[in-house]
Amino acid sequence: MNILVITDKLILGGAEMYFCKLENQLQHPSISFHYAAGSGELYEKIKHKNNFIEMSRTKHLHNLKKLRNLISYKQIDVIHANSLRMVLYCIAVQKLTKKKFKIVYTKHNITVLEEKYPSIFKHILNNYVERIITVSEFEKENLAKAGITPSKITTVYNGVDLKQFAFHNKDKGESFKVGILARLSEEKNHALFIKIAHQLRDIPNIMFYIAGDGPEKEKIKDMIQSQNLVHKIKMVGPVYHPEEFIKKMDLLLLTSYREVFPMVILEAMAVGTPIISINKGGIGEAIIGNKTGFLINEHSVEDFCSKILDIKANEVIRKQLIENALSKVQTDFSLEQMVSNTLKEYLNCS
């Protein structure tokens, strides 16, 4: 059996890290694995470069030709597409080559097509995709409600590399560090994070840290400056070793407008950093409220601030959250489970 795993690009991001984990870990005695992706800084994480083909991030016809040649030469049986665009690539190549390879699609995020043209989205997934992997039960249920054939869909949770994200006992520092690690884009709602920092600006030993890069960078900088919070909020830029940033934080916040199932939550649970998150998407499948973290149902500055102060003041609560979170991630979200369950989906296509 010959399998090709593809994704759009290798920039820093959850779907891209998922691709790298599969590339690093997948192995099976009766399967040959091949990989293709657009360029990006995560290329250095690719281990099997002899089985990797770099695609263009802009030249789509060029990519289709590359894939067509690769599929024919390597006699690919299954393509695992890690974005809807890659699913469309696969369909185009099938039309061009008349090859009968099967498509597995991991749905990492909410797509424009499903929001604006749900009937087309449903048609594509029901008629061209063999297996659909969702990263949360919440998303699996959403697809079924949208008319996608339920028997096609399986939840395979994201897995944490517990060696990279090793548990870390924190020493009490001079300041209590509250962080956010997310792409600097509108849907991550950094404005709420800044409002929370503003609300707690008069507490001298709380500091706030924004890690990541993205299109909202200058806007976020302006917000910090306009509210005179330069002394209170530090922007640390792109993070190439997320485990180091998360370990340094005493608390991690997630303030997004929407989420499917963010990897950073599991990473924080693994290293021992408590989490306060907005209750969106499948987040509640990892953060059990008041047990493995705190869930906030609305984008309320007051609710976030209240929980921050609770964790800061109460060592017993903090330690209990950390212990429960570590146990949960070890039991339900290991990298080994993710790889094993993904392999099962490939074999289901044979």
Side-chain angles (χ1 to χ4, degrees):
M1 192 177 191
N2 298 306
I3 291 177
L4 172 62
V5 186
I6 58 175
T7 197
D8 296 63
K9 51 194 176 295
L10 291 175
I11 63 167
L12 287 169
E16 294 77 17
M17 284 302 302
Y18 171 94
F19 173 89
C20 291
K21 288 174 188 173
L22 291 179
E23 192 277 335
N24 287 186
Q25 299 290 331
L26 281 171
Q27 52 183 321
H28 190 278
S30 61
I31 299 176
S32 295
F33 293 99
H34 306 274
Y35 304 91
S39 60
E41 55 267 39
L42 290 178
Y43 176 75
E44 65 183 40
K45 292 189 178 291
I46 299 298
K47 282 187 177 179
H48 307 99
K49 291 186 171 64
N50 55 321
N51 286 334
F52 176 84
I53 288 179
E54 186 173 311
M55 296 191 295
S56 168
R57 285 172 51 180
T58 55
K59 299 176 182 177
H60 303 301
L61 285 176
H62 173 76
N63 289 340
L64 291 175
K65 288 177 185 176
K66 265 192 172 182
L67 288 175
R68 181 192 63 190
N69 294 339
L70 176 64
I71 289 161
S72 298
Y73 180 61
K74 297 294 183 181
Q75 297 184 322
I76 297 298
D77 301 297
V78 175
I79 300 184
H80 182 182
N82 280 285
S83 72
L84 190 60
R85 177 186 287 175
M86 293 300 104
V87 171
L88 297 176
Y89 269 25
C90 292
I91 295 168
V93 173
Q94 280 181 332
K95 300 287 188 188
L96 289 168
T97 63
K98 309 299 182 186
K99 297 286 183 184
K100 295 191 179 294
F101 59 83
K102 292 175 179 175
I103 302 169
V104 175
Y105 168 44
T106 294
K107 187 175 186 298
H108 292 283
N109 47 39
I110 299 161
T111 66
V112 173
L113 192 66
E114 70 185 290
E115 288 188 321
K116 293 191 174 180
Y117 305 102
S119 59
I120 297 173
F121 178 76
K122 182 175 76 169
H123 176 79
I124 288 169
L125 266 58
N126 281 337
N127 291 280
Y128 293 99
V129 177
E130 182 76 11
R131 302 293 302 160
I132 301 163
I133 296 173
T134 56
V135 294
S136 70
E137 285 293 307
F138 176 88
E139 194 62 16
K140 179 181 176 181
E141 291 167 12
N142 277 349
L143 287 183
K145 287 175 186 174
I148 311 304
T149 307
S151 59
K152 288 178 176 276
I153 314 166
T154 302
T155 296
V156 176
Y157 285 120
N158 282 326
V160 183
D161 184 342
L162 296 173
K163 293 177 183 175
Q164 179 185 0
F165 292 89
F167 181 76
H168 174 72
N169 273 315
K170 298 181 192 302
D171 297 322
K172 206 164 188 178
E174 291 181 9
S175 66
F176 187 81
K177 297 173 182 169
V178 180
I180 183 170
L181 174 56
R183 178 171 161 77
L184 305 186
S185 54
E186 188 177 356
E187 72 273 10
K188 299 300 182 182
N189 195 10
H190 288 82
L192 177 59
F193 185 84
I194 293 167
K195 288 175 185 175
I196 292 163
H198 187 266
Q199 184 88 349
L200 299 174
R201 66 194 180 280
D202 295 328
I203 300 178
N205 59 342
I206 296 184
M207 287 294 296
F208 292 83
Y209 297 84
I210 295 175
D213 201 359
E216 297 280 298
K217 180 180 176 180
E218 293 306 317
K219 185 177 177 181
I220 291 167
K221 272 186 181 178
D222 290 343
M223 279 192 280
I224 293 169
Q225 289 173 352
S226 67
Q227 296 191 41
N228 297 315
L229 291 171
V230 175
H231 67 292
K232 199 72 176 176
I233 304 174
K234 304 298 179 189
M235 294 185 70
V236 301
V239 170
Y240 299 102
H241 299 283
E243 68 279 10
E244 295 302 323
F245 175 79
I246 297 170
K247 282 176 185 177
K248 288 175 184 174
M249 295 298 108
D250 295 294
L251 180 63
L252 208 70
L253 304 188
L254 199 79
T255 56
S256 309
Y257 287 117
R258 64 183 191 181
E259 286 287 353
V260 174
F261 194 90
M263 193 68 211
V264 69
I265 281 177
L266 302 181
E267 293 164 350
M269 291 168 70
V271 304
T273 298
I275 310 151
I276 304 173
S277 174
I278 194 71
N279 190 7
K280 292 288 182 184
I283 290 171
E285 293 166 48
I287 298 181
I288 311 303
N290 303 329
K291 186 176 179 184
T292 62
F294 285 128
L295 289 172
I296 308 293
N297 289 322
E298 303 293 337
H299 292 93
S300 164
V301 174
E302 289 73 20
D303 288 352
F304 269 96
C305 289
S306 173
K307 294 301 183 186
I308 291 170
L309 295 176
D310 284 350
I311 291 176
K312 181 178 181 296
N314 196 317
E315 190 71 11
V316 174
I317 290 176
R318 192 182 71 84
K319 284 188 174 179
Q320 198 61 60
L321 290 175
I322 289 169
E323 288 174 15
N324 292 338
L326 179 61
S327 175
K328 177 76 173 172
V329 82
Q330 289 172 335
T331 303
D332 295 340
F333 302 107
S334 72
L335 181 58
E336 291 75 17
Q337 283 175 308
M338 184 191 97
V339 172
S340 173
N341 290 332
T342 304
L343 274 172
K344 287 176 187 175
E345 291 305 296
Y346 298 157
L347 295 170
N348 283 338
C349 293
S350 60

